[in-house]
Structure formats: C-alpha cells, structure tokens
Amino acid sequence: MVEMEPWEEHAIRRPHLPERVTVYEVGPRDGLQNEAETLSLEVRAEFIDALAEAGLPAIEVGSFVSPKAIPQLADSEELYRRIHPVSGVRYPALVPNLKGLERALSVGVREIAVFTAASETFNRKNINAGVDESIERFRPVVARAKEEKIRVRGYVSTVFGCPYEGDVSPEAVREVVHKLLDLSVDEISLGDTIGVATPADVYDVIEALYDSGVTRGVLALHFHDTRGTALANVFAGLECGVTTYDASAGGLGGCPYAPGASGNLATEDLLYMLEGLGVATGVTLARVVEASRRLAESLGHRPSGRYLAAVWGSNG
Ligand code: HMG
Ligand code: MG
C-alpha cells in the first residue's frame, strides 16, 4: 500500500509543544538602545513597571556599557533606583566587563547578561574584542557574579548570520556556546541579530547543540523580525522544546552595531501566538499593549508590532 502524507489523509498531526514558556522582555534595553531619542528616566521607569504589572517574569532594564557606545542607556544606575520591583520578577542588565559588573552591583542588580557573538567581525564592532578575547574578559565577571550568587545569561549574537561576514555555521555557534557554558553561565540566548533565520536554520542550530550535549532548559531564543520570520522561528523553537523566548514590547529594537537589523519580535505578537497555541506565559496581553501605547506617546512614533497595528487600527 502506498503510504499517504498526513495532509492527504486529512489527519493533521499536531506537534507536541511545551505547556508553559518564559517570555523574557528586552524592550527597555534592546528596544530603547536603538531609538534615536533618549527617553526620560521617568518614562522608562513607568514602562518597566507597567511591563512587570503585565506579568512579564523577566525584564531587561538596561545596560552598563560604555556611555559612548550606547548613550541612550548611560543612566541605567538611576533607572534601577527608580523602578518599583515586583516580587518574583527578574530585572537583568547587560554587562560587558568588570567595570559594568561593579556598576550593576552598586545598584543591587541580581541578574546580568554577558554578550559575545558567533562571528569575529560583529563582535569586534560591538564590544571591541574577538570572540575568544571576550570569553577571557567574561571569566572574572562571571566568577565574581557567581560569588555574589547572581544569575548570568550569556548572549550569542549573529547565530544565524553576520552583517559583516554573512553565513555563520552551526559549528561556530556550538563552539562559542560551549565556551560560555564552561564559564558556568546559567542560560544561553541565541541571537538572530539581523533577523535572517528561517525555521530550517533553527532546527539546524538547535540540533547541533543538542547533539553536543547542550540541554534544552539552558537555551533561550532571541529573534529580530527583520524579514518577518521571527514567529515561524519561535514555532520551530517550541517544536524543539525551547522554553524561553526574548521579545520586545511593541517590536522596538536593534543593535546600532548591526546595520540593517530591525526590531525584535514584538512581545504582543509572541503572546498572541502562544495564547492561540495554548502555551501558558502568565502575561496579560492587553496590559502589554497598554504599556506599549503609553511608551509610543513619548516616542512620537508607532512601534512596528503587528498585533498593535491590528488593535490600534488607523486611529491608534
Ligand atoms: P573599549 O573601548 O574596548 O573599552 O570598549 P575600554 O575598556 O578600552 O574603555 C574605553 C572607555 O570606555 C573608557 O573610558 C572606559 O572607562 C569606558 P575613557 O577612559 O575613554 O573615558 N568603559 C565603560 N564605561 C562605563 N561602563 C562600562 C565601561 N567599560 C569601559 N562598563 C566596551 C569595550 C565593551 C566597553 C564597548 O565596546 C561597549 O560598551 N560596547 C557595548 C555595545 C553594546 O551595548 N551593544 C548593544 C548590546 S548587544 C545587542 O544588542 C545584541 C543582543 O540584543 C543579542 C542580539 O540581538 O544578537 C544582546
Ligand atoms: Mg538583540
């Protein structure tokens, strides 16, 4: 007998997806680092508080990097002093070196993220270090953070493509992921910095990582939505069992050192799809929309998120 494809039998086999995922909000950091205008501390603190009230379990507040590199977030210490922490919510910050860690510790930060890349050129442009050099730079940072019992995320940028070098191989990703894991980071976020991935690339990279012993609980996925594939990529990630997804309220975002990159996957778009799939997040979509609406008033332009455009219509 000739075997039939599922669609010929009209028997759709639904994939088994995780029941619950963590949405890691990067809007206040990845979103606002890419805005031409620096928003006031008051507006940013209100944005972060509104996101926490919406039920987001992790909100990246800012970064302790060189003020010359990212002037928009230069006052992250003061921002940490202004927010009203909600019990159970994590408030991580980006830290590139020991100086950044000292700044973070001075305002009681309990979770940091170090960041490197799978391609040399992007890493040099972004943090003025090659990949191996950056790992050596992180070694004392992660060791000190561990002494302080601080949770550490390790970002890997350009996992699916580099704005300067083009294609990046899953092997290059695997190598840098293992170097970060050897430093004892708690989580690895795989960044599609310039939004080039398709689901096939997601399967390839995650397969290479699983085959090399990386466990799924360690991974997070961070998609920029430059080519409209971010949600499809999340779906591929869900099929692979990944349970942490980065997203940015309104779909703001980008990296000034990644030409051509546009906003992150919008938190609202992600939540809408997860709700439809019955994957729990604990986040109230309408409250995230409200946080984005308030922020948009200060930004003076409409964020690019698709769900927002649908609910705001032409008069939003
Ligand atoms: P450098 O020039 O090699 O650093 O920059 P340096 O150690 O030689 O210091 C140069 C100057 O910066 C000195 O000041 C330092 O004090 C100061 P000066 O003496 O000239 O007045 N400095 C600092 N100031 C404040 N806080 C610090 C700090 N460190 C040095 N922590 C460095 C190296 C890493 C500092 C710089 O390149 C930098 O800050 N880069 C950050 C770039 C960045 O934030 N990019 C965006 C975030 S990454 C991203 O968006 C991707 C992601 O979303 C994932 C994805 O999408 O792929 C995470
Ligand atoms: Mg990013």
Side-chain angles (χ1 to χ4, degrees):
M1 199 180 118
V2 184
E3 221 177 275
M4 288 168 95
E5 298 289 354
W7 55 87
E8 289 171 317
E9 298 169 345
H10 297 280
I12 303 298
R13 289 189 202 117
R14 291 176 188 244
H16 182 73
L17 305 179
E19 281 171 18
R20 190 177 182 88
V21 302
T22 300
V23 177
Y24 180 105
E25 171 64 45
V26 296
R29 195 279 304 168
D30 208 343
L32 298 184
Q33 78 181 10
N34 208 41
E35 288 295 321
E37 198 188 329
T38 300
L39 296 181
S40 71
L41 283 162
E42 193 187 350
V43 166
R44 280 147 63 205
E46 195 189 285
F47 181 45
I48 291 164
D49 288 344
L51 293 168
E53 294 298 335
L56 281 153
I59 304 169
E60 216 165 68
V61 169
S63 60
F64 295 101
V65 301
S66 156
K68 285 188 197 122
I70 309 282
Q72 295 91 329
L73 306 182
D75 50 6
S76 288
E77 284 97 332
E78 188 52 33
L79 188 53
Y80 270 97
R81 290 191 196 100
R82 294 232 186 170
I83 57 178
H84 300 90
V86 170
S87 167
V89 176
R90 294 151 46 202
Y91 294 94
L94 244 60
V95 160
N97 52 20
L98 272 172
K99 179 164 186 168
L101 179 62
E102 291 305 332
R103 290 177 60 200
L105 291 175
S106 77
V107 285
V109 172
R110 300 300 308 155
E111 178 168 339
I112 62 161
V114 294
F115 51 109
T116 185
S119 61
E120 284 292 308
T121 316
F122 173 79
N123 214 38
R124 284 188 193 286
K125 304 250 184 204
N126 195 37
I127 57 170
N128 197 25
V131 176
D132 285 346
E133 196 183 345
S134 68
I135 298 286
E136 288 316 308
R137 203 183 268 176
F138 300 154
R139 197 176 294 284
V141 176
V142 179
R144 176 81 205 285
K146 293 279 147 190
E147 272 168 32
E148 300 280 342
K149 304 213 171 359
I150 283 177
R151 185 182 155 97
V152 184
R153 159 180 266 223
Y155 274 107
V156 181
S157 285
T158 62
V159 162
F160 301 96
C162 171
Y164 307 101
E165 296 177 19
D167 290 347
V168 171
S169 69
E171 291 67 39
V173 177
R174 191 180 57 200
E175 218 172 285
V176 63
V177 163
H178 281 280
K179 284 176 181 162
L180 283 168
L181 289 174
D182 288 348
L183 294 183
S184 295
V185 305
D186 302 286
E187 179 175 74
I188 301 275
S189 178
L190 302 172
D192 186 12
T193 317
I194 51 169
V196 287
T198 70
D201 304 313
V202 175
Y203 298 136
D204 285 349
V205 166
I206 294 181
E207 192 172 44
L209 293 177
Y210 287 176
D211 283 352
S212 69
V214 175
T215 51
R216 64 192 172 85
V218 155
L219 294 178
L221 290 167
H222 177 109
F223 295 114
H224 286 258
D225 203 16
T226 318
R227 289 165 182 77
T229 51
L231 274 182
N233 293 336
V234 168
F235 195 83
L238 290 168
E239 286 183 295
C240 298
V242 175
T243 53
T244 300
Y245 294 89
D246 300 357
S248 160
L252 302 169
C255 175
Y257 301 94
S262 67
N264 290 81
L265 169 60
T267 308
E268 293 88 346
D269 297 7
L270 174 63
L271 291 172
Y272 180 74
M273 183 178 85
L274 292 173
E275 275 185 30
L277 288 169
V279 178
T281 62
V283 187
T284 306
L285 172 53
R287 296 190 77 162
V288 180
V289 169
E290 184 53 19
S292 293
R293 191 190 62 74
R294 300 275 311 256
L295 186 79
E297 282 170 9
S298 302
L299 279 176
H301 68 83
R302 278 168 75 140
S304 60
R306 307 296 294 273
Y307 184 86
L308 281 184
V311 295
W312 285 350
S314 54
N315 49 13

